[in-house]
PDB file of all heavy atoms in Angstrom:
ATOM      1  N   GLN A  21     107.720 -46.242  66.820  1.00 45.00           N
ATOM      2  CA  GLN A  21     106.446 -46.503  67.501  1.00 45.00           C
ATOM      3  C   GLN A  21     106.176 -47.994  67.592  1.00 45.00           C
ATOM      4  O   GLN A  21     105.199 -48.420  68.202  1.00 45.00           O
ATOM      5  CB  GLN A  21     105.314 -45.817  66.751  1.00 45.00           C
ATOM      6  CG  GLN A  21     105.478 -44.299  66.707  1.00 45.00           C
ATOM      7  CD  GLN A  21     104.378 -43.638  65.880  1.00 45.00           C
ATOM      8  OE1 GLN A  21     103.524 -44.309  65.352  1.00 45.00           O
ATOM      9  NE2 GLN A  21     104.436 -42.332  65.818  1.00 45.00           N
ATOM     10  N   ALA A  22     106.985 -48.824  66.911  1.00 50.00           N
ATOM     11  CA  ALA A  22     106.748 -50.262  66.911  1.00 50.00           C
ATOM     12  C   ALA A  22     107.110 -50.851  68.280  1.00 50.00           C
ATOM     13  O   ALA A  22     108.075 -50.452  68.918  1.00 50.00           O
ATOM     14  CB  ALA A  22     107.588 -50.938  65.824  1.00 50.00           C
ATOM     15  N   SER A  23     106.301 -51.824  68.694  1.00 72.00           N
ATOM     16  CA  SER A  23     106.593 -52.505  69.943  1.00 72.00           C
ATOM     17  C   SER A  23     107.732 -53.472  69.747  1.00 72.00           C
ATOM     18  O   SER A  23     108.064 -53.858  68.635  1.00 72.00           O
ATOM     19  CB  SER A  23     105.359 -53.247  70.434  1.00 72.00           C
ATOM     20  OG  SER A  23     104.945 -54.193  69.474  1.00 72.00           O
ATOM     21  N   ARG A  24     108.366 -53.867  70.819  1.00 89.00           N
ATOM     22  CA  ARG A  24     109.490 -54.769  70.780  1.00 89.00           C
ATOM     23  C   ARG A  24     109.011 -56.146  70.323  1.00 89.00           C
ATOM     24  O   ARG A  24     107.972 -56.636  70.737  1.00 89.00           O
ATOM     25  CB  ARG A  24     110.112 -54.866  72.181  1.00 89.00           C
ATOM     26  CG  ARG A  24     111.216 -55.871  72.329  1.00 89.00           C
ATOM     27  CD  ARG A  24     111.744 -55.867  73.748  1.00 89.00           C
ATOM     28  NE  ARG A  24     112.721 -56.932  73.977  1.00 89.00           N
ATOM     29  CZ  ARG A  24     112.379 -58.171  74.326  1.00 89.00           C
ATOM     30  NH1 ARG A  24     111.094 -58.461  74.496  1.00 89.00           N
ATOM     31  NH2 ARG A  24     113.312 -59.082  74.504  1.00 89.00           N
ATOM     32  N   PHE A  25     109.813 -56.770  69.416  1.00 95.00           N
ATOM     33  CA  PHE A  25     109.450 -58.115  68.953  1.00 95.00           C
ATOM     34  C   PHE A  25     109.661 -59.107  70.064  1.00 95.00           C
ATOM     35  O   PHE A  25     110.729 -59.144  70.706  1.00 95.00           O
ATOM     36  CB  PHE A  25     110.280 -58.486  67.727  1.00 95.00           C
ATOM     37  CG  PHE A  25     109.912 -59.836  67.131  1.00 95.00           C
ATOM     38  CD1 PHE A  25     108.821 -59.937  66.297  1.00 95.00           C
ATOM     39  CD2 PHE A  25     110.643 -60.962  67.437  1.00 95.00           C
ATOM     40  CE1 PHE A  25     108.466 -61.162  65.746  1.00 95.00           C
ATOM     41  CE2 PHE A  25     110.286 -62.197  66.920  1.00 95.00           C
ATOM     42  CZ  PHE A  25     109.200 -62.286  66.061  1.00 95.00           C
ATOM     43  N   ASP A  26     108.695 -59.949  70.304  1.00 96.00           N
ATOM     44  CA  ASP A  26     108.744 -60.937  71.378  1.00 96.00           C
ATOM     45  C   ASP A  26     109.437 -62.193  70.846  1.00 96.00           C
ATOM     46  O   ASP A  26     108.866 -63.010  70.138  1.00 96.00           O
ATOM     47  CB  ASP A  26     107.316 -61.271  71.827  1.00 96.00           C
ATOM     48  CG  ASP A  26     107.263 -62.206  73.013  1.00 96.00           C
ATOM     49  OD1 ASP A  26     108.332 -62.342  73.669  1.00 96.00           O
ATOM     50  OD2 ASP A  26     106.222 -62.798  73.261  1.00 96.00           O
ATOM     51  N   LEU A  27     110.720 -62.330  71.176  1.00 97.00           N
ATOM     52  CA  LEU A  27     111.518 -63.448  70.666  1.00 97.00           C
ATOM     53  C   LEU A  27     111.257 -64.698  71.516  1.00 97.00           C
ATOM     54  O   LEU A  27     112.082 -65.115  72.324  1.00 97.00           O
ATOM     55  CB  LEU A  27     113.006 -63.085  70.681  1.00 97.00           C
ATOM     56  CG  LEU A  27     113.923 -64.011  69.877  1.00 97.00           C
ATOM     57  CD1 LEU A  27     113.607 -63.944  68.396  1.00 97.00           C
ATOM     58  CD2 LEU A  27     115.392 -63.655  70.118  1.00 97.00           C
ATOM     59  N   THR A  28     110.086 -65.283  71.323  1.00 98.00           N
ATOM     60  CA  THR A  28     109.708 -66.517  71.976  1.00 98.00           C
ATOM     61  C   THR A  28     109.303 -67.536  70.903  1.00 98.00           C
ATOM     62  O   THR A  28     108.972 -67.161  69.773  1.00 98.00           O
ATOM     63  CB  THR A  28     108.515 -66.317  72.924  1.00 98.00           C
ATOM     64  OG1 THR A  28     107.383 -65.869  72.163  1.00 98.00           O
ATOM     65  CG2 THR A  28     108.848 -65.279  73.998  1.00 98.00           C
ATOM     66  N   ILE A  29     109.319 -68.804  71.276  1.00 98.00           N
ATOM     67  CA  ILE A  29     108.994 -69.838  70.286  1.00 98.00           C
ATOM     68  C   ILE A  29     107.581 -69.677  69.747  1.00 98.00           C
ATOM     69  O   ILE A  29     107.362 -69.738  68.525  1.00 98.00           O
ATOM     70  CB  ILE A  29     109.251 -71.226  70.907  1.00 98.00           C
ATOM     71  CG1 ILE A  29     110.758 -71.436  71.100  1.00 98.00           C
ATOM     72  CG2 ILE A  29     108.674 -72.327  69.986  1.00 98.00           C
ATOM     73  CD1 ILE A  29     111.121 -72.733  71.766  1.00 98.00           C
ATOM     74  N   PRO A  30     106.533 -69.485  70.586  1.00 98.00           N
ATOM     75  CA  PRO A  30     105.194 -69.310  70.026  1.00 98.00           C
ATOM     76  C   PRO A  30     105.096 -68.130  69.045  1.00 98.00           C
ATOM     77  O   PRO A  30     104.421 -68.224  68.019  1.00 98.00           O
ATOM     78  CB  PRO A  30     104.320 -69.097  71.244  1.00 98.00           C
ATOM     79  CG  PRO A  30     105.060 -69.747  72.361  1.00 98.00           C
ATOM     80  CD  PRO A  30     106.500 -69.505  72.065  1.00 98.00           C
ATOM     81  N   ASN A  31     105.786 -67.037  69.364  1.00 98.00           N
ATOM     82  CA  ASN A  31     105.727 -65.869  68.480  1.00 98.00           C
ATOM     83  C   ASN A  31     106.500 -66.095  67.199  1.00 98.00           C
ATOM     84  O   ASN A  31     106.046 -65.764  66.099  1.00 98.00           O
ATOM     85  CB  ASN A  31     106.251 -64.644  69.206  1.00 98.00           C
ATOM     86  CG  ASN A  31     105.757 -63.360  68.586  1.00 98.00           C
ATOM     87  OD1 ASN A  31     104.625 -63.269  68.124  1.00 98.00           O
ATOM     88  ND2 ASN A  31     106.608 -62.363  68.539  1.00 98.00           N
ATOM     89  N   ILE A  32     107.700 -66.726  67.315  1.00 98.00           N
ATOM     90  CA  ILE A  32     108.487 -67.028  66.127  1.00 98.00           C
ATOM     91  C   ILE A  32     107.691 -67.900  65.158  1.00 98.00           C
ATOM     92  O   ILE A  32     107.720 -67.687  63.920  1.00 98.00           O
ATOM     93  CB  ILE A  32     109.789 -67.728  66.540  1.00 98.00           C
ATOM     94  CG1 ILE A  32     110.754 -66.731  67.201  1.00 98.00           C
ATOM     95  CG2 ILE A  32     110.456 -68.403  65.335  1.00 98.00           C
ATOM     96  CD1 ILE A  32     111.969 -67.410  67.833  1.00 98.00           C
ATOM     97  N   MET A  33     107.002 -68.887  65.688  1.00 98.00           N
ATOM     98  CA  MET A  33     106.337 -69.869  64.838  1.00 98.00           C
ATOM     99  C   MET A  33     105.060 -69.347  64.180  1.00 98.00           C
ATOM    100  O   MET A  33     104.410 -70.080  63.434  1.00 98.00           O
ATOM    101  CB  MET A  33     106.056 -71.146  65.633  1.00 98.00           C
ATOM    102  CG  MET A  33     107.351 -71.826  66.089  1.00 98.00           C
ATOM    103  SD  MET A  33     108.499 -72.118  64.705  1.00 98.00           S
ATOM    104  CE  MET A  33     110.087 -72.095  65.520  1.00 98.00           C
ATOM    105  N   ARG A  34     104.724 -68.105  64.414  1.00 97.00           N
ATOM    106  CA  ARG A  34     103.664 -67.460  63.610  1.00 97.00           C
ATOM    107  C   ARG A  34     104.199 -67.162  62.205  1.00 97.00           C
ATOM    108  O   ARG A  34     103.420 -66.862  61.284  1.00 97.00           O
ATOM    109  CB  ARG A  34     103.175 -66.201  64.276  1.00 97.00           C
ATOM    110  CG  ARG A  34     102.293 -66.478  65.525  1.00 97.00           C
ATOM    111  CD  ARG A  34     102.018 -65.195  66.280  1.00 97.00           C
ATOM    112  NE  ARG A  34     101.379 -64.187  65.451  1.00 97.00           N
ATOM    113  CZ  ARG A  34     101.265 -62.903  65.770  1.00 97.00           C
ATOM    114  NH1 ARG A  34     101.790 -62.479  66.913  1.00 97.00           N
ATOM    115  NH2 ARG A  34     100.648 -62.047  64.983  1.00 97.00           N
ATOM    116  N   GLY A  35     105.527 -67.226  62.063  1.00 96.00           N
ATOM    117  CA  GLY A  35     106.164 -67.177  60.764  1.00 96.00           C
ATOM    118  C   GLY A  35     105.776 -66.012  59.902  1.00 96.00           C
ATOM    119  O   GLY A  35     106.066 -64.850  60.197  1.00 96.00           O
ATOM    120  N   PRO A  36     105.136 -66.278  58.730  1.00 97.00           N
ATOM    121  CA  PRO A  36     104.869 -65.215  57.764  1.00 97.00           C
ATOM    122  C   PRO A  36     103.954 -64.131  58.253  1.00 97.00           C
ATOM    123  O   PRO A  36     103.851 -63.082  57.624  1.00 97.00           O
ATOM    124  CB  PRO A  36     104.245 -65.984  56.583  1.00 97.00           C
ATOM    125  CG  PRO A  36     103.763 -67.262  57.164  1.00 97.00           C
ATOM    126  CD  PRO A  36     104.697 -67.590  58.262  1.00 97.00           C
ATOM    127  N   GLU A  37     103.229 -64.334  59.353  1.00 97.00           N
ATOM    128  CA  GLU A  37     102.469 -63.241  59.921  1.00 97.00           C
ATOM    129  C   GLU A  37     103.400 -62.129  60.364  1.00 97.00           C
ATOM    130  O   GLU A  37     103.005 -60.946  60.434  1.00 97.00           O
ATOM    131  CB  GLU A  37     101.623 -63.714  61.100  1.00 97.00           C
ATOM    132  CG  GLU A  37     100.451 -64.604  60.700  1.00 97.00           C
ATOM    133  CD  GLU A  37      99.570 -64.925  61.895  1.00 97.00           C
ATOM    134  OE1 GLU A  37      99.811 -64.399  62.999  1.00 97.00           O
ATOM    135  OE2 GLU A  37      98.596 -65.685  61.727  1.00 97.00           O
ATOM    136  N   HIS A  38     104.641 -62.461  60.649  1.00 97.00           N
ATOM    137  CA  HIS A  38     105.642 -61.479  61.076  1.00 97.00           C
ATOM    138  C   HIS A  38     106.492 -60.994  59.907  1.00 97.00           C
ATOM    139  O   HIS A  38     106.551 -59.794  59.618  1.00 97.00           O
ATOM    140  CB  HIS A  38     106.541 -62.057  62.143  1.00 97.00           C
ATOM    141  CG  HIS A  38     105.888 -62.265  63.466  1.00 97.00           C
ATOM    142  ND1 HIS A  38     105.243 -61.272  64.138  1.00 97.00           N
ATOM    143  CD2 HIS A  38     105.802 -63.380  64.246  1.00 97.00           C
ATOM    144  CE1 HIS A  38     104.765 -61.750  65.287  1.00 97.00           C
ATOM    145  NE2 HIS A  38     105.099 -63.022  65.367  1.00 97.00           N
ATOM    146  N   TYR A  39     107.201 -61.931  59.249  1.00 98.00           N
ATOM    147  CA  TYR A  39     108.182 -61.530  58.232  1.00 98.00           C
ATOM    148  C   TYR A  39     107.543 -61.329  56.877  1.00 98.00           C
ATOM    149  O   TYR A  39     108.190 -60.869  55.940  1.00 98.00           O
ATOM    150  CB  TYR A  39     109.360 -62.496  58.143  1.00 98.00           C
ATOM    151  CG  TYR A  39     108.978 -63.951  57.879  1.00 98.00           C
ATOM    152  CD1 TYR A  39     108.578 -64.358  56.601  1.00 98.00           C
ATOM    153  CD2 TYR A  39     109.078 -64.901  58.878  1.00 98.00           C
ATOM    154  CE1 TYR A  39     108.275 -65.689  56.366  1.00 98.00           C
ATOM    155  CE2 TYR A  39     108.779 -66.226  58.640  1.00 98.00           C
ATOM    156  CZ  TYR A  39     108.369 -66.612  57.388  1.00 98.00           C
ATOM    157  OH  TYR A  39     108.051 -67.923  57.141  1.00 98.00           O
ATOM    158  N   GLY A  40     106.262 -61.640  56.755  1.00 97.00           N
ATOM    159  CA  GLY A  40     105.524 -61.296  55.556  1.00 97.00           C
ATOM    160  C   GLY A  40     105.568 -62.374  54.475  1.00 97.00           C
ATOM    161  O   GLY A  40     106.227 -63.383  54.591  1.00 97.00           O
ATOM    162  N   ARG A  41     104.786 -62.102  53.419  1.00 97.00           N
ATOM    163  CA  ARG A  41     104.744 -63.011  52.268  1.00 97.00           C
ATOM    164  C   ARG A  41     105.565 -62.421  51.128  1.00 97.00           C
ATOM    165  O   ARG A  41     105.441 -61.238  50.799  1.00 97.00           O
ATOM    166  CB  ARG A  41     103.322 -63.202  51.786  1.00 97.00           C
ATOM    167  CG  ARG A  41     102.535 -64.294  52.518  1.00 97.00           C
ATOM    168  CD  ARG A  41     102.216 -63.944  53.938  1.00 97.00           C
ATOM    169  NE  ARG A  41     101.201 -64.828  54.515  1.00 97.00           N
ATOM    170  CZ  ARG A  41     100.589 -64.567  55.664  1.00 97.00           C
ATOM    171  NH1 ARG A  41     100.867 -63.468  56.343  1.00 97.00           N
ATOM    172  NH2 ARG A  41      99.690 -65.407  56.118  1.00 97.00           N
ATOM    173  N   GLU A  42     106.331 -63.254  50.524  1.00 97.00           N
ATOM    174  CA  GLU A  42     107.153 -62.815  49.378  1.00 97.00           C
ATOM    175  C   GLU A  42     106.256 -62.454  48.199  1.00 97.00           C
ATOM    176  O   GLU A  42     105.368 -63.199  47.833  1.00 97.00           O
ATOM    177  CB  GLU A  42     108.086 -63.950  48.980  1.00 97.00           C
ATOM    178  CG  GLU A  42     108.901 -63.684  47.743  1.00 97.00           C
ATOM    179  CD  GLU A  42     109.796 -64.823  47.373  1.00 97.00           C
ATOM    180  OE1 GLU A  42     110.054 -65.696  48.240  1.00 97.00           O
ATOM    181  OE2 GLU A  42     110.257 -64.863  46.216  1.00 97.00           O
ATOM    182  N   PRO A  43     106.486 -61.273  47.587  1.00 98.00           N
ATOM    183  CA  PRO A  43     105.752 -60.948  46.367  1.00 98.00           C
ATOM    184  C   PRO A  43     106.074 -61.996  45.295  1.00 98.00           C
ATOM    185  O   PRO A  43     107.249 -62.260  45.013  1.00 98.00           O
ATOM    186  CB  PRO A  43     106.304 -59.560  45.995  1.00 98.00           C
ATOM    187  CG  PRO A  43     106.873 -59.010  47.263  1.00 98.00           C
ATOM    188  CD  PRO A  43     107.395 -60.201  48.013  1.00 98.00           C
ATOM    189  N   GLN A  44     105.045 -62.555  44.717  1.00 97.00           N
ATOM    190  CA  GLN A  44     105.250 -63.654  43.761  1.00 97.00           C
ATOM    191  C   GLN A  44     104.671 -63.311  42.402  1.00 97.00           C
ATOM    192  O   GLN A  44     103.725 -62.536  42.264  1.00 97.00           O
ATOM    193  CB  GLN A  44     104.622 -64.933  44.303  1.00 97.00           C
ATOM    194  CG  GLN A  44     105.287 -65.440  45.570  1.00 97.00           C
ATOM    195  CD  GLN A  44     104.735 -66.782  46.011  1.00 97.00           C
ATOM    196  OE1 GLN A  44     104.027 -67.463  45.292  1.00 97.00           O
ATOM    197  NE2 GLN A  44     105.069 -67.162  47.244  1.00 97.00           N
TER     198      GLN A  44
END
Side-chain angles (χ1 to χ4, degrees):
Q21 298 177 0
S23 59
R24 175 180 173 274
F25 183 81
D26 185 16
L27 194 66
T28 62
I29 292 176
N31 201 37
I32 287 170
M33 296 307 153
R34 287 171 57 195
E37 289 187 3
H38 289 305
Y39 57 75
R41 275 70 165 192
E42 175 181 342
Q44 295 185 13

